[in-house]
Amino acid sequence: MAEHGDSAVGEQLSATTTEAAKRTDGEGAERVSEAPGKSKRSPRKATAKKATPTKNTKKATATKSTAAAKKATTAARKATEATKPTKPAAAKSTAKPAAATSTGKPAKPALKVTQPESRLSLVRRARRINRELAEVYPYAHPELDFENPFQLLVATVLSAQTTDLRVNQTTPRLFAAYPTPEDLAAANPEEVEELIRPTGFFRAKTKSIMGLAAALRDRHGGEVPGRLEDLVKLPGVGRKTANVVLGNAFGVPGITVDTHFGRLVRRWKWTDSEDPEKIEALVCDIFPKSDWTMLSHRIIFHGRRICHARKPACGACPIAHLCPAYGEGETDPEKAQKLLKYEKGGLPGQRLKPPPDYPGQPAPPLAAG
């Protein structure tokens, strides 16, 4: 009996020991499985555990990814900027560039007036225009044919409301018939009218030139006076005509404000006045007296050849960079070249007998015109 009891207790202890051993072996197996290379767990469970990062690992990975992305973006932007063409520095002036000029000089940007111009700036710009026109027209001259002060006086009176060319084509026959003031004063008015008919307004002009011829005969001994105050008292003679005669027949400086002169000084913003006497006074105040006569010739030359009344040839203008009115006319260089007149356009000038240094062709006589 004792042996049987002992045997039962032994079996129970043996079973308990076996269960404990199993548990111990399981726990040991679990601990062993944690060692690298000796895991007995399934590959799926091991992979899942490795793919689950800690919180610190997630933050580190996110930070590295953000930094890498920023670095890549910066590098891409720099590479893009490096491939772009470099933009030129912005110019201070917003003016359009002037086209190629008729003188062959490099074009300069056209002037753009964005604020009121000071008196000093206007004077400097005006004098610079005069200097540059002197380079363009070194041969500028009065465009009426004459051999003495009397012929110049009569031709200037006849030039009203017509071209100098038409006057030059008309006066040869007139002066051949009436070479002196005495001859013209004693002429038959109807014969004079017929001779000067091509100049237009021939009846009024006949009265003027015959009246001034009589005044020269009666008051000045048949000679043209060399003073402004005497000239303006003659029939049909105003300040413009007097200044033409004084400047070109007597060498006395004067400003000739004709339609071309008045149009250009307004375009250049020297003045906005339409009054010839006010324009004359203003321009005289800008320039020294020694410049007056030649300034008049240069401006009139420019007005007839390039800066026309209806359609200025802005694209061929050599002083576009000094002109506030640039763009009022044709700015395309090729089209502007076609607008040029007289020697600038390869055409005859206005004088039948031009000065020796004139680069153009003489004008044809009336019969050939």
Side-chain angles (χ1 to χ4, degrees):
M1 291 291 292
E3 288 180 3
H4 179 76
D6 292 340
S7 176
V9 172
E11 289 179 359
Q12 186 177 0
L13 290 173
S14 177
T16 304
T17 304
T18 302
E19 289 292 326
K22 287 182 180 180
R23 287 197 301 271
T24 303
D25 290 342
E27 291 174 359
E30 289 179 3
R31 286 195 295 270
V32 171
S33 67
E34 292 176 1
K38 296 182 180 181
S39 176
K40 293 183 180 180
R41 291 184 178 181
S42 64
R44 182 177 56 81
K45 292 183 179 179
T47 303
K49 188 169 185 179
K50 285 184 178 180
T52 307
T54 63
K55 292 183 179 180
N56 292 336
T57 304
K58 288 181 179 180
K59 290 182 179 179
T61 303
T63 302
K64 289 181 180 180
S65 300
T66 304
K70 288 183 178 179
K71 189 174 181 180
T73 303
T74 303
R77 185 173 64 252
K78 289 182 178 179
T80 303
E81 291 175 353
T83 59
K84 289 182 179 180
T86 304
K87 294 183 179 180
K92 292 183 179 179
S93 173
T94 58
K96 298 178 181 179
T101 68
S102 59
T103 61
K105 293 185 178 181
K108 300 178 183 178
L111 177 70
K112 187 72 174 180
V113 176
T114 57
Q115 58 185 2
E117 189 174 25
S118 68
R119 166 71 179 177
L120 178 60
S121 176
L122 185 149
V123 170
R124 287 177 175 173
R125 182 168 60 85
R127 293 185 178 186
R128 186 176 174 188
I129 287 175
N130 182 40
R131 290 194 300 271
E132 297 201 14
L133 288 179
E135 295 180 5
V136 178
Y137 308 106
Y139 49 85
H141 57 271
E143 294 192 88
L144 289 169
D145 286 325
F146 69 97
E147 296 177 357
N148 54 57
F150 171 64
Q151 289 186 1
L152 179 58
L153 177 60
V154 171
T156 306
V157 172
L158 293 178
S159 68
Q161 304 299 316
T162 190
T163 64
D164 286 358
L165 171 60
R166 182 61 68 187
V167 174
N168 292 336
Q169 291 173 329
T170 302
T171 52
R173 290 192 300 164
L174 176 67
F175 295 143
Y178 312 106
T180 67
E182 291 83 0
D183 294 329
L184 184 56
N188 183 332
E190 293 181 356
E191 293 178 0
V192 175
E193 287 177 2
E194 191 60 31
L195 288 173
I196 68 170
R197 183 184 290 271
T199 66
F201 303 97
F202 57 91
R203 290 189 179 89
K205 290 180 179 180
T206 294
K207 185 176 180 180
S208 292
I209 63 174
M210 290 188 67
L212 70 84
L216 292 177
R217 178 194 63 193
D218 299 339
R219 302 179 206 166
H220 302 285
E223 299 292 332
V224 177
R227 298 194 313 165
L228 179 67
E229 53 269 32
D230 293 330
L231 285 169
V232 295
K233 292 178 182 178
L234 299 174
V237 178
R239 289 185 66 89
K240 184 198 81 170
T241 299
N243 281 325
V244 169
V245 174
L246 290 174
N248 298 285
F250 294 99
V252 177
I255 295 291
T256 303
V257 184
D258 68 351
T259 56
H260 301 289
F261 192 100
R263 178 177 73 253
L264 267 62
V265 298
R266 284 189 291 272
R267 280 180 177 167
W268 295 336
K269 304 301 181 185
W270 294 4
T271 179
D272 58 1
S273 177
E274 299 276 350
D275 187 325
E277 290 193 23
K278 290 182 179 179
I279 294 173
E280 179 186 343
L282 181 141
V283 175
C284 285
D285 194 39
I286 293 176
F287 295 90
K289 195 172 183 178
S290 58
D291 287 347
W292 292 354
T293 299
M294 287 308 300
L295 172 70
S296 299
H297 292 325
R298 292 164 190 153
I299 292 179
I300 293 171
F301 256 60
H302 192 60
R304 285 174 171 166
R305 285 149 178 79
I306 296 178
C307 195
H308 311 135
R310 294 183 181 177
K311 198 170 186 180
C314 294
C317 181
I319 58 167
H321 57 288
L322 299 171
C323 181
Y326 174 81
E328 287 187 8
E330 180 58 67
T331 58
D332 180 82
E334 293 184 3
K335 293 180 181 179
Q337 286 289 332
K338 296 178 182 179
L339 299 175
L340 303 184
K341 296 183 179 179
Y342 306 116
E343 76 279 0
K344 292 296 182 183
L347 305 173
Q350 299 204 77
R351 293 189 68 166
L352 276 64
K353 299 178 181 179
D357 62 343
Y358 178 64
Q361 307 171 43
L366 185 61

